[in-house]
Amino acid sequence: MADCTDHVAVPGLNNLLQMDPFLKPFEKDFTRRYTRFNNKLMSIEEAEGGFDKYTRGYESFGVHRQPDGSLYFKEWAPGAEAVFLAGDFNEWNTSSHPYNKREHGKWDLIVPPKVDKSPAVPHGSILKVVIRSRSGQLLYRISPWAKYVVRGDNNLIYDWVHWDPPQPYMHKHSRPKKPQSLRIYECHVGIASPEEKVASYSNFTYNVLPKIKDLGYNCIQLMAIMEHAYYASFGYQITSFYAASSRYGNPEELKELVDTAHSMGIIVLLDVVHSHASKNTEDGLNQFDGTDSCFFHSGSRGEHVLWGSRLFDYSNWEVLRFLLSNLRWWAEEYRFDGFRFDGVTSMLYHHHGIGTGFSGDYSEYFGLHVAEESLVYLMLANQMLHSLCPDYITIAEDVSGMPGLCCPIEEGGTGFDYRLAMAVPDKWIQMLKELKDEDWNMGNIVHTLTNRRYGEKCIVYAESHDQALVGDKTLAFWLMDAEMYTNMSKLSPLTQVIDRGIQLHKMIRLITHGLGGEGYLNFIGNEFGHPEWLDFPRKGNNESYHYARRQFQLVEKDDLRYRELYNFDRDMNRVEEKYGWLSAPPANVSTQHEGDKIIAFERGTVLFIFNFHPSNSYTDYRVGVEMSGKYKIVLDSDEAQYGGHQRLDHNTEFFTEAVPYNGCSNSAMVYIPCRTAIVLANEDLSH
C-alpha cells in the first residue's frame, strides 16, 4: 500500500521546536516522517483487522498445535514455486507434505494428528521447510519463525527443532517497575563463567544474577541471545530471529533466568539486532524463498559492505510484520522488559554511516540520505512497545546524534527512551592513549560528559563490550597493562602503575556515572578491572575459549586488588540508589580548574568533587555550592576498602558559607587529596 501524500499535523511538534529552535527549518521533514508513520499505521489497522493482530504474527506463522492435535504450518515465501515440509517424522520425504499456496506469497499446511490424537510431529522433532525455487532446485530451509534451532555434533548447519514441551516454564514473578535511575549490567551468558567453555543460562541464573544484585545494578542487558550460527560474531550476525540461542541451553531455561531476575527486582533488556541479518542461507533468512530479495532488498542495496550481511527491506509489508512481531515475541513469551536496538545509525541513513563523519550539522540528519522507511519502522516499533506497556524501555545505539530520536512520536520524534552516549568511552581511551595525566583537560572532560541533546535521555558508560574486545583494550588494561599479571596482589608492594590505575579507574567511572547521562552501563567483569580482553574461539586463536570467559574468582580472593575495584563499583551504585542523581536534572558544574585539575558539580542533593592532579592535594579548597546546608561524605574513592590511602576523616561535617563562588550562591571549604573523588550529601535535604 502506498503512503498517502496528504500531510498529517504532528500534534506536539511545537514542543520539539521550542526545545530546539534550530530544528525549525526542518519542520517539513518532521511532518513528512510523522505522516508516513501515521499512514502506515492506518493502513495496517484497515488491512489487518488492527495493529495489535498484525504484531502477533508468531501466533499464525511457523508451527502451531491446534485443539484437535493437528499442527498448522504457515510461511511467507513469495518467490517459491512450491513449498514442502520434511523431517524425521516423515523420514525426510520431500513431497509427502506440500503446503497450499495462498494470497500474497503465503503458504500453509495442516498435518492431521495420529490416531491417538497426539501430534504427528512430536516435541523435539527435526524439521526443514523445503522450497522448490523457480529454477527447480530443492532448497532446505529453517522456518524464519523457528523457536529453537540446534547444531548437531558433526554438523555445521543448524537444525530446526520443533519446540512444544509438555510442561513449559510458567513465570512466577511479576515484572519489576521501571526504575527511575537505570543502572545497566551489559552481559553475555556464554562468557559468564571462569571456565573455558560456553556457559549456560542456568549458570547465569544461579551464579551471576546474585553478583549483579549485590553490585547494585537494577537492569541487565543480555547480548547474543537471538540465535547466531557463528559464536565469534558476538551475536551480531543473526540467523534465527525467534530462537533463543541453544548453545546456552533451552528456551525454558532462558525464561527461568528472566523470571529469577524479576524476583530480584532486576529488569531485563534484550540486545536486538534488526539492522541486518546473517548471509547464511541454509540456516538463516538469506534467500529463504530462493530469490535474492524476500526479507531483504535485492542487489547491492540489500548488502552491508562492511558487515558482510543482508539489509532488510523495511518498506515491505511482511518484513514489518516479521520484525514487529519479533519484538513482541521476546517481550511476551520471554517477558523481556525492553530492547537495546543495535546498529540504529546504519538503519537511519542510506549510506549506513560508512565513510561519514557526523559533525553535528543539522543538514546531516535530513534530506534524501535519510532512510525514512527504516525510521518509520523504528517509530512503529516504539509505538507498539510503549502501547503494550508504558514501562518497556527502548535504547538506540546511534553514533550520529539524530535529533528527536529520543523524543515522543507525537512530538515528531522516533520514540526511543534513551540513546547510548557513544562519544564518552572514545574520549577516555583517547586521553589514556595520547595524554600525560598532567595534560588532561578538565574542560574537555566536562564538555564530553555534558554534550548531549537537552530533553533526550542518554545511557552513559566509561566502557562497554566494544572496548573489551580483542584489538582494543579495557580501561584497566590501558591504565595498568602488563602489571595486572604481576602486581595486583596485596602481598607485594603497591607500584606506581597499579596505584595510578586503581585510583583513575574509580574516578573515571564515578565522574561518568555522575555527570554523563540519565542511565549508566557497565560491561560484565569491567567493574573489577577484568585483566584480559575478550576474544571468542575462532581459527585465528585455535578455537580457544581462554579469553571467552570472565574470571569472577579473582574478586573472591581477598589478597588481590580486584576486590577493591568491585567494592567501589558496588558502593557507587548503592549511593546512587539512595540519592538518585541519574534521575535528577543535568548537573550544575561550578569548577573545572585546569591548573588544579579539579572538577566539582552538584546533581540532585549531592556534591561531587574530583581531584585529577597526580600529586597535588588541597586543604581548604573552596568549591561553589548552590544549596546551603551541612554536607557529609557518602562516597570516598580514597577509602582503604577501595584500594585508596584513607586520607579523609568521614566524621567531618562541611558547612556552606554565604560566600558566592564560581557562579554559585554559596561555597564550602574541603580537603581533597590527589587522585581522589568524593561525593558529599546535603544532610538537610537528604532526610
Side-chain angles (χ1 to χ4, degrees):
M1 293 189 185
D3 289 331
C4 172
T5 53
D6 292 339
H7 282 169
V8 178
V10 187
L13 184 57
N14 279 341
N15 294 347
L16 182 62
L17 300 182
Q18 282 171 9
M19 197 161 62
D20 186 353
F22 291 104
L23 290 173
K24 182 74 177 167
F26 306 101
E27 190 171 353
K28 286 183 179 177
D29 292 84
F30 286 109
T31 302
R32 186 181 61 256
R33 292 171 183 181
Y34 183 80
T35 299
R36 294 187 69 168
F37 156 76
N38 187 71
N39 290 343
K40 184 68 76 175
L41 194 55
M42 292 302 102
S43 299
I44 291 168
E45 291 277 0
E46 290 169 23
E48 294 283 342
F51 190 51
D52 180 72
K53 184 181 176 186
Y54 179 72
T55 57
R56 286 187 276 120
Y58 51 82
E59 290 183 356
S60 59
F61 286 87
V63 54
H64 299 277
R65 179 158 42 94
Q66 305 300 298
D68 65 356
S70 64
L71 292 169
Y72 178 69
F73 291 81
K74 184 178 177 183
E75 299 296 345
W76 176 64
E81 282 294 306
V83 180
F84 305 90
L85 182 70
D88 45 19
F89 81 101
N90 68 357
E91 298 180 330
W92 296 97
N93 188 316
T94 57
S95 59
S96 63
H97 288 77
Y99 284 66
N100 301 298
K101 189 171 186 177
R102 305 298 184 192
E103 284 187 306
H104 309 302
K106 299 183 180 109
W107 303 77
D108 65 7
L109 160 70
I110 294 174
V111 178
K114 295 178 182 175
V115 177
D116 64 0
K117 300 297 181 187
S118 66
V121 183
H123 167 64
S125 301
I126 307 295
L127 298 171
K128 291 282 186 187
V129 178
V130 182
I131 304 281
R132 190 167 73 220
S133 72
R134 288 168 184 165
S135 64
Q137 274 185 297
L138 285 185
L139 307 170
Y140 288 80
R141 298 288 187 255
I142 288 176
S143 169
W145 304 82
K147 297 167 189 167
Y148 191 52
V149 298
V150 172
R151 188 163 71 187
D153 292 338
N154 300 313
N155 193 0
L156 289 175
I157 305 297
Y158 276 75
D159 286 319
W160 172 20
V161 176
H162 176 48
W163 192 257
D164 187 19
Q167 294 179 306
Y169 183 84
M170 303 301 291
H171 291 269
K172 305 177 186 68
H173 305 282
S174 56
R175 298 175 188 271
K177 285 187 177 176
K178 179 168 144 182
Q180 280 191 301
S181 295
L182 204 55
R183 300 183 300 274
I184 303 172
Y185 198 76
E186 182 187 41
C187 42
H188 184 292
V189 169
I191 67 166
S193 156
E195 297 178 68
E196 295 188 26
K197 65 177 188 181
V198 178
S200 67
Y201 293 125
S202 296
N203 165 71
F204 197 94
T205 301
Y206 296 108
N207 297 326
V208 184
L209 280 177
K211 290 182 174 67
I212 296 169
K213 177 67 176 172
D214 178 59
L215 279 163
Y217 291 93
N218 55 21
C219 174
I220 56 174
Q221 180 178 300
L222 289 178
M223 308 178 67
I225 295 295
M226 300 165 77
E227 189 60 272
H228 47 293
Y230 185 42
Y231 190 41
S233 77
F234 213 166
Y236 290 118
Q237 294 275 348
I238 306 296
T239 43
S240 288
F241 283 75
Y242 283 78
S245 181
S246 59
R247 53 173 59 83
Y248 320 123
N250 66 48
E252 312 315 303
E253 289 163 338
L254 175 57
K255 289 173 190 173
E256 184 187 20
L257 188 165
V258 174
D259 198 29
T260 305
H262 286 167
S263 76
M264 297 176 171
I266 297 170
I267 63 169
V268 189
L269 306 181
L270 178 68
D271 201 348
V272 70
V273 187
H274 281 182
S275 45
H276 63 127
S278 166
K279 264 191 173 174
N280 287 21
T281 52
E282 288 187 61
D283 54 8
L285 284 184
N286 192 18
Q287 298 178 25
F288 172 70
D289 65 352
T291 71
D292 182 40
S293 52
C294 198
F295 288 93
F296 311 108
H297 289 289
S298 60
S300 59
R301 194 179 172 196
E303 308 238 350
H304 196 294
V305 293
L306 290 186
W307 295 345
S309 51
R310 295 302 313 269
L311 296 170
F312 287 106
D313 178 0
Y314 302 102
S315 66
N316 186 291
W317 193 267
E318 293 303 327
V319 171
L320 283 182
R321 186 201 309 273
F322 179 78
L323 294 174
L324 291 168
S325 299
N326 188 232
L327 296 170
R328 190 161 180 177
W329 164 256
W330 290 105
E332 300 206 337
E333 181 72 13
Y334 289 94
R335 303 191 69 183
F336 280 94
D337 303 292
F339 302 92
R340 179 263 199 190
F341 284 72
D342 180 68
V344 168
T345 307
S346 174
M347 297 172 74
L348 290 175
Y349 307 96
H350 291 300
H351 54 62
H352 308 297
I354 299 170
T356 305
F358 292 94
S359 66
D361 186 307
Y362 277 16
S363 64
E364 295 167 347
Y365 308 121
F366 303 96
L368 295 175
H369 49 279
V370 176
E372 291 192 350
E373 300 98 339
S374 349
L375 199 61
V376 167
Y377 162 65
L378 293 170
M379 293 166 79
L380 289 168
N382 279 304
Q383 171 78 11
M384 175 192 72
L385 291 167
H386 292 127
S387 299
L388 286 172
C389 176
D391 277 0
Y392 282 156
I393 291 168
T394 58
I395 302 171
E397 190 220 20
D398 169 45
V399 74
S400 77
M402 166 75 79
L405 196 66
C406 301
C407 290
I409 292 167
E410 60 272 16
E411 292 182 8
T414 311
F416 283 99
D417 296 299
Y418 299 89
R419 60 155 40 97
L420 293 176
M422 299 180 73
V424 173
D426 292 344
K427 172 55 66 177
W428 288 124
I429 283 177
Q430 180 233 332
M431 286 169 58
L432 290 171
K433 277 171 73 172
E434 298 175 7
L435 299 172
K436 296 176 182 174
D437 295 4
E438 52 269 30
D439 295 332
W440 282 19
N441 184 298
M442 301 296 104
N444 200 292
I445 292 172
V446 168
H447 174 75
T448 303
L449 287 168
T450 56
N451 182 27
R452 52 190 187 272
R453 291 193 58 77
Y454 180 76
E456 298 193 40
K457 293 180 180 177
C458 276
I459 302 293
V460 72
Y461 50 103
E463 53 184 343
S464 70
H465 68 271
D466 286 325
Q467 287 73 40
L469 288 168
V470 67
D472 204 335
K473 293 200 284 192
T474 61
L475 288 179
F477 235 106
W478 280 113
L479 286 161
M480 297 177 275
D481 212 9
E483 285 204 24
M484 294 190 78
Y485 294 114
T486 55
N487 295 331
M488 285 297 274
S489 170
K490 291 190 202 171
L491 304 177
S492 59
L494 180 64
T495 67
Q496 283 188 338
V497 167
I498 297 297
D499 186 29
R500 170 183 178 266
I502 284 176
Q503 309 322 325
L504 288 179
H505 194 270
K506 293 177 292 184
M507 294 179 71
I508 286 169
R509 297 170 94 73
L510 179 61
I511 196 170
T512 301
H513 205 304
L515 190 57
E518 290 70 38
Y520 176 77
L521 178 143
N522 163 64
F523 179 65
I524 181 171
N526 283 0
E527 70 277 1
F528 64 84
H530 197 280
E532 288 171 341
W533 56 85
L534 181 61
D535 189 15
F536 288 89
R538 54 190 173 83
K539 283 183 182 176
N541 63 15
N542 295 318
E543 304 295 337
S544 170
Y545 284 87
H546 181 74
Y547 296 109
R549 60 190 179 123
R550 298 281 95 175
Q551 298 185 58
F552 292 118
Q553 79 281 3
L554 297 173
V555 174
E556 289 151 20
K557 296 180 179 178
D558 289 335
D559 60 341
L560 293 180
R561 302 186 191 278
Y562 297 104
R563 181 78 203 179
E564 298 166 342
L565 295 178
Y566 178 98
N567 290 343
F568 182 77
D569 201 78
R570 176 197 65 205
D571 291 353
M572 175 173 69
N573 284 324
R574 290 181 181 179
V575 172
E576 197 289 325
E577 173 68 23
K578 182 174 180 181
Y579 295 101
W581 61 70
L582 285 168
S583 56
N588 172 40
V589 181
S590 60
T591 304
Q592 41 186 327
H593 196 289
E594 298 304 340
D596 296 343
K597 301 298 176 203
I598 298 283
I599 295 172
F601 58 89
E602 289 170 278
R603 191 166 181 194
T605 60
V606 292
L607 169 65
F608 293 79
I609 306 169
F610 294 81
N611 180 0
F612 280 100
H613 202 288
S615 56
N616 288 359
S617 299
Y618 305 103
T619 54
D620 295 333
Y621 196 91
R622 188 175 292 278
V623 291
V625 189
E626 196 55 45
M627 296 174 295
S628 63
K630 179 178 75 174
Y631 285 79
K632 288 205 74 171
I633 295 172
V634 292
L635 187 64
D636 165 18
S637 71
D638 200 44
E639 272 197 71
Q641 64 165 322
Y642 310 142
H645 301 287
Q646 201 77 39
R647 289 168 289 185
L648 288 159
D649 179 1
H650 286 213
N651 293 316
T652 305
E653 294 176 335
F654 302 89
F655 294 90
T656 60
E657 304 171 71
V659 177
Y661 190 71
N662 279 358
C664 296
S665 305
N666 304 284
S667 56
M669 305 292 277
V670 297
Y671 166 50
I672 182 78
C674 63
R675 283 196 185 127
T676 295
I678 55 174
V679 181
L680 305 169
N682 188 317
E683 295 283 287
D684 300 337
L685 298 174
S686 300
H687 296 304

